[in-house]
Amino acid sequence: MGRDSVSREARGWRAVFARLFGRGAAGRLLAGCPDLLAGIDGAGRLVSASPASRALTGRPPETLKGLTLAELVHPEDRAGVAALLAGGGALVHRLSHADGRWIWVETRLSAQGPPYVAAIRDAASRPDTEASLRASRAHYRALADTLPQLVWMERTDTGDTVYANPAFERYFGAIGPGRAARQDRYHPDDRPRIDAALAQGALAEGGSGEAQGRLRDRDGAYRWHQLSFQPLRKDDALLGWLGSALDIDEILAARKALEETGDLLRLAQDAAGAGLFDLDLVTREVTLAPESARLHGFPGDRLAVIGLGAWLRRLVPQDRKPALAALRGAIAGGGTFDAAFRVQQPGGQRWIQAIGRLCRDRDGRALRVTGLNLDISARKDAEAGLVAAKAAAEAAKAAAEAAKAAAEAAKAAAERANAAKTDFLSAMSHEIRTPLNAVIGFTGLLAQADGLEPELRRYAGLARTSAGGLLTLVNDILDFSSVEAGAVSLRREPFAIEALAESCLGVVGAAAAEKTLAVTSAIDASLPRHLVGDEARLRQILLNLLNNAVKFTPRGTVALSLRHEGSGPAGERIRLSVVDTGIGIAPDKQDRLFERFLQVDSSIRRDYGGTGLGLAISRRLVEAMGGEIGVISQAGRGATFWFTLTLPRAEDQALPEARAAVAPGRPGRILLVEDIEVNRELACLMLRKAGHSVDVATDGFQAVRAVEAGVYDLVLMDVQMPGLDGTMATRLIRCLPGAAGRVPVIAMTANVLPDQVQSFRDAGMDDHLGKPFTPAELTARLARWLDRDLSHGDLPEEDEPALLDQALYDGVRAYLPPEAVRRLLGHLAEQVTGALTGEGTEAAERTRLRFEAHGLVSAAGMLGFASLSRACAELESCSEDEVARDRTAFGMALARARARCTAAALETRRLIAGLEAAPTIAAGLGRTA
């Protein structure tokens, strides 16, 4: 296109403006227009430009003529400008300024031409706005991506999902984009309610639709959610929906549990006729629940709120001071409000029992008293009736008091007799076990001696077996209450039934030979060789029956029979019988045989001796094993005592004799503290035979001096000794400095009752070995302690437990959000900081400390502070009865609990600091409008 044509196009363009506005008006319009108006020919060249080019590009209009628009456009925007010239429309792009910078402009091109009319205006602020808009959108999308609830956007026309946050994808897994796929995840019962919420949101002006429903997750499980549908509109047209779903399953479950608990509480209150009350000590107002209001004479269908003075005026005058005194006592420090009073009512008076507890703030100020009101009118009426009956029966008062005094005297006598029995059993146990220790020990050593003749070795073995039977009998007498209650502990170990029978016959053989009785046995060939059961208890029963047969048979025979009576699911049924040709028992007296301390008649004890306890114990033991025991006899014709048992086979089980002996521990230097010479000699023989170095002390004073002066691996401590006994000696040893105060001390005593053993541990002893004991038992006990690495204080049963159970704490952190864990730790830190103050010298102070410890038990245990929880539970359970028995018990428990509180205070702060240092979710996430 030549210059002439350009001139013609320019003149034509100006002519257009001139025709529209007039020639003078066209010039003024072009001069005042802030946009650059340019004429562009078909080749894209500028043929004219308005004066606004100076302000926009820094160039005079005449300098733009002849230039192509592409020459003025940023290289990256030239393709867009070419498309604009080809098709018209509008484009935002960068344009060259005379000072060398690029400016943002918006170019709009007329659809008709050439020449085309281009309107170019400043758009410098638009990219910043769009960038801010994009950043804002990215911000809100990032926020939605991190929300814990499910968030999605869907189109109205197709129902397709156009956006879903990661929580949505994690919960549903693979799910189609359509609305039907989402609706398929709604619980069938909840789908109508959710659809209704969607419709409600469409109708609401500026609002949203909400509903609660169950959504099925990727694993097929339904969970309750709070759903919200926000309509997305543009120019009043509904374009889509913004949906969100917050998981409320735990909230609803907790609410349901709370409602059920409340229902149970209300049911209990209704059943007890009780009503709640609340006294605000700040406002001095009393709030009465409907039932409490009814009891006080108010309408029973609503709450009643009255002042404290008005409440007192409703009480009868003589009950006001006691009620007020009880309230002041609770506020002053008792903590519990308990008062009975009468309320004036139109129809008379009503007795009310008020029981409540004082509530304080963190600073210890009394805030309120909350509790229950109980109608006790019927009880008071009954009490009044009893008082009247007592007045009517005044004539019989003296006799009743005499009877009461007699009953109390009898009770006191029974208690003294019971205490005397306990003391007797304890003393008898000690006095029997002490010589029995020597009998069992030396017969065992004798049986193991080299060069002993076989017959003598057999005699020593029988003597040791008899001593073992005597020990079993002593144990049964001491634990006879357990036998009567059926609480005997039975062992289940394989044993040889035939060997058991032969050993029992060997024990009674000597006594039978003295009376020239023939002792025989008949053992069924089909009887299994090995069975599983309590061999010692079976031996006790058989020896009891065999000894009785020998004792009550002046001449003739004693026969033992073992018969197999078949097999069943529970095992092998066997029948053991002891038959004698003795004096027999009349049928009318046989029912007394198995009662404790009873014999057929008094002549039996006079002529034959005995306690009448053996058959009673045998019956209890047989019944504890699931068997039966009985007798067949006629007076003068002998007797057959039998019992049946069902015991499992033990063909494939190792027998006790085949078990490996306890390997002796490493040799050690041992201090033996024993006042009886025979026991010292026996213990020294056993210890030195095992390779240990032994020093001997004969009383507690020598023991303390020896431990203080020497270095010992272990102390074997007798308890009952003249001068300083073993428990006091142990307490003094524990007061020694350094390793001497930590040396393991084992009680080696004939005192074996549970309370006695516990008292030894309370005194500081580490273990207990009851007399009599076997070499194997002694070896095992020594190995247990000598083989431990004591150089690091690794003492059995005394290890200090870890303050924090890390596994339990990690489980809490996995289950609860960090903020909840931080809050719980902070609450526990407040509780343990400065906790358990006071020394507990007074009963009221001990009650307060127990209550404070009770509050720490569950709070500490839940967060993994198991040792603190146990220490507080121990302090809480230290009753006044225990304090009366041992004045130091409460102080020791308090010291342990207080030390763990101090350690827990430091540990909780460390854990809180760790939580605060860890990455946390931004504030505000998880909240809903």
Side-chain angles (χ1 to χ4, degrees):
M1 181 181 297
R3 183 175 299 273
D4 293 338
S5 62
V6 172
S7 299
R8 287 194 300 271
E9 288 177 356
R11 290 194 297 271
W13 176 65
R14 292 179 180 275
V16 170
F17 277 89
R19 286 194 301 271
L20 288 175
F21 305 104
R23 294 189 178 275
R28 288 193 300 272
L29 179 64
L30 291 174
C33 181
D35 295 343
L36 169 61
L37 300 177
I40 302 176
D41 63 12
R45 295 181 180 278
L46 277 73
V47 295
S48 63
S50 68
S53 65
R54 295 180 182 275
L56 184 64
T57 66
R59 295 183 176 90
E62 57 272 14
T63 61
L64 296 178
K65 296 178 182 180
L67 297 177
T68 63
L69 184 59
E71 294 179 70
L72 301 174
V73 173
H74 192 283
E76 295 178 359
D77 299 337
R78 290 172 182 171
V81 170
L84 176 68
L85 294 174
L91 177 68
V92 176
H93 60 89
R94 285 161 288 186
L95 193 69
S96 173
H97 193 276
D99 60 7
R101 56 190 174 91
W102 296 99
I103 60 173
W104 282 96
V105 297
E106 181 183 13
T107 300
R108 292 184 177 273
L109 192 68
S110 64
Q112 297 178 350
Y116 300 99
V117 178
I120 305 173
R121 66 176 52 181
D122 186 4
S125 61
R126 179 165 178 171
D128 295 338
T129 303
E130 291 183 345
S132 299
L133 182 60
R134 287 193 297 272
S136 177
R137 289 173 179 171
H139 170 74
Y140 286 112
R141 174 154 188 161
L143 179 63
D145 286 346
T146 58
L147 287 174
Q149 59 259 48
L150 319 183
V151 179
W152 71 97
M153 295 176 63
E154 59 179 273
R155 294 172 60 98
T156 303
D157 51 357
T158 65
D160 289 346
T161 303
V162 298
Y163 166 74
N165 73 341
F168 182 97
E169 297 172 350
R170 285 194 301 270
Y171 186 83
F172 286 119
I175 183 172
R179 181 178 296 131
R182 292 192 303 277
Q183 291 178 335
D184 183 59
R185 296 300 183 97
Y186 301 164
H187 193 283
D189 296 342
D190 304 335
R191 191 173 299 165
R193 184 166 60 252
I194 299 175
D195 292 340
L198 190 66
Q200 176 188 355
L203 297 176
E205 288 294 337
S208 62
E210 295 188 355
Q212 291 183 357
R214 287 160 288 182
L215 305 181
R216 190 176 75 247
D217 65 12
R218 64 193 306 164
D219 299 323
Y222 284 97
R223 293 182 64 83
W224 281 97
H225 286 73
Q226 178 73 33
L227 291 96
S228 176
F229 299 97
Q230 181 74 38
L232 303 176
R233 303 177 186 274
K234 181 178 182 181
D235 299 331
D236 294 332
L238 182 62
L239 302 181
W241 297 93
L242 173 63
S244 67
L246 178 64
D247 192 327
I248 60 172
D249 200 77
E250 285 82 2
I251 297 175
L252 294 183
R255 182 185 301 167
K256 182 177 179 182
L258 184 60
E259 291 174 353
E260 292 175 351
T261 302
D263 292 341
L264 289 175
L265 179 58
R266 285 189 291 272
L267 181 61
Q269 292 178 7
D270 293 342
L276 293 171
F277 75 88
D278 179 76
L279 168 59
D280 191 323
L281 298 175
V282 178
T283 64
R284 299 176 67 84
E285 288 184 340
V286 180
T287 302
L288 302 175
E291 180 61 21
S292 284
R294 186 188 67 81
L295 295 179
H296 282 76
F298 294 102
D301 58 348
R302 55 185 178 273
L303 294 173
V305 180
I306 59 175
L308 179 59
W311 175 77
L312 286 172
R313 286 192 293 273
R314 300 190 74 86
L315 276 56
V316 299
Q318 54 267 44
D319 291 346
R320 294 172 186 172
K321 286 186 177 180
L324 191 57
L327 178 61
R328 287 172 175 167
I331 297 173
T336 299
F337 171 59
D338 189 349
F341 47 83
R342 287 162 290 178
V343 175
Q344 296 279 13
Q345 292 191 351
Q349 298 176 349
R350 185 192 302 274
W351 274 99
I352 295 178
Q353 179 86 35
I355 302 174
R357 177 167 290 278
L358 176 69
C359 300
R360 300 180 183 273
D361 61 12
R362 291 185 177 180
D363 297 328
R365 291 187 295 268
L367 293 180
R368 62 194 336 108
V369 177
T370 304
L372 292 174
N373 285 322
L374 301 172
D375 186 349
I376 59 171
S377 300
R379 192 186 81 190
K380 287 296 184 178
D381 292 342
E383 290 176 356
L386 290 175
V387 171
K390 178 181 178 182
E394 192 65 31
K397 180 179 179 180
E401 289 179 350
K404 180 181 178 181
E408 290 178 350
K411 178 183 177 182
E415 291 176 349
R416 288 194 298 272
N418 187 56
K421 184 184 76 171
T422 302
D423 293 341
F424 168 73
L425 290 177
S426 176
M428 183 185 70
S429 168
H430 185 272
E431 296 305 321
I432 293 178
R433 286 173 174 274
T434 298
L436 197 57
N437 181 53
V439 173
I440 293 177
F442 281 114
T443 52
L445 294 175
L446 180 61
Q448 298 173 6
D450 296 333
L452 191 66
E453 296 180 5
E455 189 69 14
L456 294 178
R457 190 182 304 279
R458 177 172 174 271
Y459 290 160
L462 293 175
R464 191 172 185 279
T465 302
S466 298
L470 178 58
L471 177 61
T472 301
L473 180 60
V474 171
N475 291 336
D476 283 338
I477 293 174
L478 292 176
D479 200 24
F480 188 69
S481 60
S482 298
V483 176
E484 284 187 314
V488 176
S489 178
L490 297 175
R491 305 180 68 177
R492 293 178 58 83
E493 294 181 344
F495 67 95
I497 184 68
E498 185 174 346
L500 171 63
E502 293 298 336
S503 66
C504 291
L505 290 175
V507 170
V508 301
E514 292 181 358
K515 302 176 67 172
T516 66
L517 299 177
V519 178
T520 63
S521 63
I523 301 177
D524 192 342
S526 64
L527 188 69
R529 293 184 58 193
H530 304 127
L531 298 170
V532 176
D534 195 325
E535 182 180 10
R537 297 298 186 183
L538 282 174
R539 178 180 288 106
Q540 180 181 349
I541 297 169
L542 277 178
L543 285 176
N544 191 356
L545 299 182
L546 287 169
N547 281 324
N548 282 348
V550 172
K551 181 165 58 175
F552 296 113
T553 303
R555 66 185 63 84
T557 62
V558 173
L560 173 62
S561 170
L562 277 69
R563 194 170 73 219
H564 186 215
E565 294 188 340
S567 304
E572 310 298 324
R573 180 177 174 83
I574 61 173
R575 183 183 182 93
L576 299 91
S577 303
V578 176
V579 183
D580 65 62
T581 58
I583 61 175
I585 307 163
D588 60 338
K589 297 181 179 180
Q590 293 177 9
D591 58 346
R592 305 178 57 191
L593 282 175
F594 296 98
E595 298 298 327
R596 57 177 182 170
F597 303 117
L598 292 179
Q599 294 183 331
V600 172
D601 54 50
S602 59
S603 64
I604 296 295
R605 180 176 283 109
R606 183 179 63 250
D607 298 338
Y608 296 96
T611 64
L613 186 62
L615 288 177
I617 294 177
S618 296
R619 187 184 74 174
R620 301 298 197 283
L621 292 176
V622 170
E623 291 174 349
M625 296 179 188
E628 297 178 296
I629 189 170
V631 61
I632 303 172
S633 181
Q634 293 288 336
R637 298 185 179 180
T640 300
F641 283 85
W642 59 269
F643 65 96
T644 60
L645 294 173
T646 301
L647 301 174
R649 283 178 178 265
E651 304 290 0
D652 300 328
Q653 301 187 41
L655 297 179
E657 290 79 6
R659 291 180 299 183
V662 178
R666 64 175 179 83
R669 186 180 180 191
I670 297 174
L671 176 63
L672 174 65
V673 187
E674 173 64 67
D675 63 320
I676 299 177
E677 183 178 359
V678 65
N679 286 340
R680 284 201 304 272
E681 183 177 353
L682 175 61
C684 286
L685 284 173
M686 292 182 178
L687 292 170
R688 287 168 178 152
K689 186 175 181 180
H692 301 293
S693 173
V694 184
D695 291 343
V696 174
T698 59
D699 58 37
F701 291 111
Q702 293 183 14
V704 175
R705 287 194 291 268
V707 172
E708 186 176 16
V711 178
Y712 294 99
D713 297 314
L714 188 141
V715 177
L716 291 174
M717 180 76 72
D718 190 17
V719 174
Q720 292 187 346
M721 295 182 293
L724 188 68
D725 63 16
T727 55
M728 184 55 68
T730 302
R731 293 182 188 273
L732 293 176
I733 288 174
R734 292 299 179 230
C735 295
L736 295 176
R742 299 190 300 270
V743 62
V745 178
I746 299 177
M748 187 178 68
T749 175
N751 296 330
V752 295
L753 297 179
D755 289 345
Q756 295 172 328
V757 175
Q758 185 59 45
S759 69
F760 304 152
R761 294 188 182 276
D762 293 343
M765 296 186 182
D766 301 285
D767 208 341
H768 173 265
L769 178 62
K771 297 177 183 177
F773 51 82
T774 64
E777 292 171 340
L778 178 61
T779 298
R781 197 59 51 90
L782 294 177
R784 177 186 177 190
W785 290 92
L786 292 177
D787 291 346
R788 299 292 292 262
D789 180 13
L790 303 181
S791 62
H792 296 86
D794 188 16
L795 297 178
E797 301 181 5
E798 294 295 329
D799 290 344
E800 180 69 15
L803 176 65
L804 179 67
D805 186 338
Q806 190 64 43
L808 181 56
Y809 174 70
D810 290 343
V812 172
R813 286 199 60 186
Y815 181 76
L816 295 177
E819 186 58 34
V821 177
R822 188 183 301 112
R823 187 169 58 253
L824 290 174
L825 285 171
H827 182 62
L828 180 61
E830 292 178 359
Q831 285 184 283
V832 299
T833 301
L836 304 176
T837 58
E839 299 303 322
T841 56
E842 301 295 334
E845 189 177 37
R846 290 193 290 272
T847 300
R848 176 186 64 78
L849 289 168
R850 292 189 193 96
F851 182 80
E852 189 175 352
H854 173 77
L856 286 168
V857 171
S858 60
M862 181 183 69
L863 288 172
F865 289 84
S867 63
L868 171 59
S869 179
R870 285 193 296 270
C872 290
E874 178 187 356
L875 177 61
E876 181 189 8
S877 63
C878 188
S879 64
E880 290 300 314
D881 291 338
E882 187 172 351
V883 173
R885 291 193 300 270
D886 184 2
R887 298 295 296 178
T888 64
F890 191 91
M892 295 173 64
L894 177 60
R896 287 191 291 270
R898 189 179 292 156
R900 284 163 176 77
C901 281
T902 302
L906 298 174
E907 184 65 9
T908 50
R909 287 196 288 270
R910 185 187 68 81
L911 295 174
I912 291 173
L915 286 173
E916 293 175 345
T920 58
I921 299 176
L925 296 187
R927 297 186 179 181
T928 56

